[in-house]
Amino acid sequence: MLNIAKIRADFPILKRKINGKPLVYFDNAATGQKPQVVIDALDKYYKNTNANIHRGVHTLSQEATNAYEYSRETIKNHFNAKHSHEIIFTRGTTESINLVANGFSQLLQKGDEVIISQLEHHSNIIPWQLACEKSGAVLKIVPINKKGELLVESYEYLLSDKTKIVAINHISNTLGTINPIKKIIDKAHEYGAAVLIDGAQATPHLKVDVQALDCDFYCASAHKMYGPTGIGMLYGKEDWLNKLPPYQGGGEMIKEVTFEKTTYADLPFKFEAGTPNIAAGIAFSVAIDYLNNIGLENIASYENGLLKYATEQLVSIPHLTIIGTAKHKAAVVSFTVDGIHPFDIGSIIDKLGIAIRTGHHCTQPIMQFYNLSGTSRASFSFYNTKDEIDVFVDALKKALMMLL
Ligand SMILES: *Cc1c(COP(=O)(O)O)cnc(C)c1O
């Protein structure tokens, strides 16, 4: 059992009032709030340690380097990577996917195939469209059923020797579907294709073991795991990271530079050009420690309770349809109400202190599948409560009375 009162006290922002009402924050799939330990880590770094990393001989630079590399080690342990140089710091999931897709744009040949799915976030679509445009490879899309589940048989049908990489999310940010990624990975490997998993939504809720999954790449954003914005990670198997060309050129990523020829630094630095967000990199592992102290299994089971409770409340509202009813689902509820624009719902309940997201959630192909312009989405975290869901459902009923 989680001590929710104690957990809530760790998050200063949860004490805020919005429009005179206590904040009910149900936009966790967009970004998580930050516990005091993460805020303190950022503050402490700038007050005590700030220096550029990896180059300096002076004490501050060494302390900053050690803290940054210690964080990489923590991330490596958390995701059970084999080597810490398989963890690349990036700005987040978007940059992690772009790094890999950009590399593949140089490895792919005309006629090769890349598989993504109907469920993807735009950041796991557009980088692959760009890579296919550059290389002449063909983009294939795994379809979904009405519940928002991937059609695994269609996926198996799409796979062939032409498939070079499969890029699929672990959990859909819009529908909450938890995808059978182990099966997807194993099937792709039968054809020698690499697999990238977009883990932006999974990492705040599930324990991920990249070696057990045997994925080739796994991407995450710290800010969705209650860490800072502007930092994330790419896990890549050593062999793949060695095969991929560098993403950006600049300081830090080289061994030797002359105007005739430049040689690149070893992993992970080959992919880490320029001065990174050092404070955020350090605070990322503080967020991971915070999550592990609560326990991801405890988090998942508590959030499932919230999902079940919210779903029961919402289905009893007339004219309301839940979009995304997969059997395996994380704590995200998207819904529409007949004849009402999601934006209007979002604006009215904001007046009552409630933060939900409305729109296409960076997943326009999902909206096209359901023939919708957008949905309203409530997404839950371990610091949310059933009382908050009651407040939300009451507010929603009030809003619908005004709008219907
Ligand atoms: C948020 C999200 C992204 C993009 O993450 P950024 O942190 O904005 O780079 C990608 N995929 C999914 C499934 C997401 O939820």
Side-chain angles (χ1 to χ4, degrees):
M1 276 297 285
L2 303 184
N3 183 343
I4 303 301
K6 186 167 169 290
I7 286 171
R8 287 181 67 83
D10 292 336
F11 291 81
I13 208 169
L14 298 179
K15 297 185 186 75
R16 260 206 72 176
K17 292 224 160 38
I18 302 290
N19 299 316
K21 307 279 184 194
L23 166 65
V24 172
Y25 186 77
F26 285 171
D27 196 15
N28 294 288
T31 199
Q33 297 302 347
K34 316 307 171 198
Q36 188 65 48
V37 284
V38 167
I39 300 167
D40 287 346
L42 295 169
D43 189 58
K44 199 175 125 207
Y45 171 78
Y46 284 118
K47 279 184 179 153
N48 294 316
T49 319
N50 179 53
N52 211 334
I53 51 174
H54 294 143
R55 276 157 290 204
V57 294
H58 61 80
T59 304
L60 278 185
S61 175
Q62 284 175 19
E63 283 180 13
T65 303
N66 290 345
Y68 196 68
E69 290 307 319
Y70 176 81
S71 184
R72 193 192 308 273
E73 196 67 23
T74 303
I75 296 165
K76 171 231 165 204
N77 290 334
H78 179 71
F79 289 104
N80 194 31
K82 201 165 179 184
H83 308 289
S84 49
H85 60 251
E86 293 176 320
I87 303 295
I88 312 292
F89 280 114
T90 64
R91 282 193 298 125
T93 301
T94 303
E95 189 173 58
S96 299
I97 298 170
N98 274 280
L99 188 162
V100 177
N102 185 73
F104 266 83
S105 73
Q106 296 177 57
L107 303 180
L108 290 166
Q109 309 211 332
K110 202 168 172 339
D112 284 348
E113 294 179 357
V114 174
I115 297 180
I116 62 170
S117 88
Q118 181 89 38
L119 276 186
E120 301 313 311
H121 189 283
H122 293 163
S123 58
N124 198 29
I125 299 174
I126 299 149
W128 300 111
Q129 288 178 324
L130 291 169
C132 287
E133 230 166 76
K134 261 192 222 162
S135 63
V138 181
L139 195 62
K140 299 276 176 177
I141 315 296
V142 182
I144 55 175
N145 63 20
K146 276 283 175 199
K147 290 179 173 176
E149 296 166 324
L150 292 178
L151 297 178
V152 176
E153 280 173 22
S154 306
Y155 165 65
E156 289 175 19
Y157 183 74
L158 287 177
L159 279 169
S160 77
D161 294 336
K162 290 188 202 155
T163 312
K164 292 297 174 272
I165 184 159
V166 176
I168 300 272
N169 66 42
H170 195 162
I171 295 181
S172 159
N173 61 305
T174 302
L175 306 180
T177 312
I178 303 175
N179 291 314
I181 59 165
K182 179 63 184 149
K183 195 166 179 184
I184 287 169
I185 293 162
D186 289 347
K187 283 283 162 197
H189 285 168
E190 286 176 20
Y191 293 88
V195 182
L196 173 142
I197 302 296
D198 168 355
Q201 288 299 326
T203 44
H205 309 290
L206 303 177
K207 185 86 185 151
V208 171
D209 180 331
V210 292
Q211 288 190 80
L213 285 172
D214 196 28
C215 55
D216 302 284
F217 302 100
Y218 197 98
C219 310
S221 295
H223 72 96
K224 290 186 178 167
M225 303 172 71
Y226 312 98
T229 55
I231 194 84
M233 70 110 203
L234 169 68
Y235 158 79
K237 277 185 191 162
E238 183 180 42
D239 285 353
W240 269 115
L241 291 176
N242 279 328
K243 239 181 272 178
L244 286 189
Y247 176 48
Q248 294 179 323
E252 188 90 339
M253 54 78 72
I254 53 89
K255 218 170 238 155
E256 193 182 2
V257 178
T258 67
F259 286 120
E260 290 70 41
K261 179 156 177 64
T262 290
T263 50
Y264 304 122
D266 293 333
L267 296 174
F269 307 113
K270 171 180 151 189
F271 292 109
E272 294 184 350
T275 302
N277 190 340
I278 302 166
I282 293 166
F284 187 0
S285 67
V286 175
I288 287 177
D289 287 341
Y290 181 83
L291 282 176
N292 284 330
N293 280 336
I294 300 175
L296 280 159
E297 284 84 10
N298 297 330
I299 287 173
S301 97
Y302 178 78
E303 290 174 345
N304 280 338
L306 293 179
L307 174 68
K308 193 157 168 276
Y309 186 71
T311 305
E312 283 163 10
Q313 306 283 310
L314 289 172
V315 292
S316 72
I317 297 177
H319 310 293
L320 186 148
T321 310
I322 291 184
I323 308 296
T325 49
K327 185 154 166 251
H328 300 290
K329 217 183 136 171
V332 172
V333 196
S334 261
F335 61 92
T336 56
V337 182
D338 296 343
I340 295 183
H341 200 281
F343 179 85
D344 294 331
I345 294 175
S347 310
I348 293 177
I349 70 172
D350 174 59
K351 300 278 187 298
L352 301 168
I354 301 158
I356 62 164
R357 181 139 301 228
T358 62
H360 56 66
H361 318 295
C362 297
T363 55
Q364 285 183 5
I366 295 181
M367 298 301 128
Q368 287 149 16
F369 175 80
Y370 288 103
N371 202 15
L372 296 169
S373 64
T375 69
S376 302
R377 181 188 71 185
S379 49
F380 310 115
S381 162
F382 54 85
Y383 47 60
N384 293 131
T385 63
K386 288 185 180 169
D387 286 348
E388 287 182 312
I389 292 173
D390 290 340
V391 170
F392 160 62
V393 170
D394 279 349
L396 183 60
K397 285 178 180 165
K398 272 193 200 124
L400 296 185
M401 249 166 6
M402 290 169 66
L403 292 165
L404 275 170

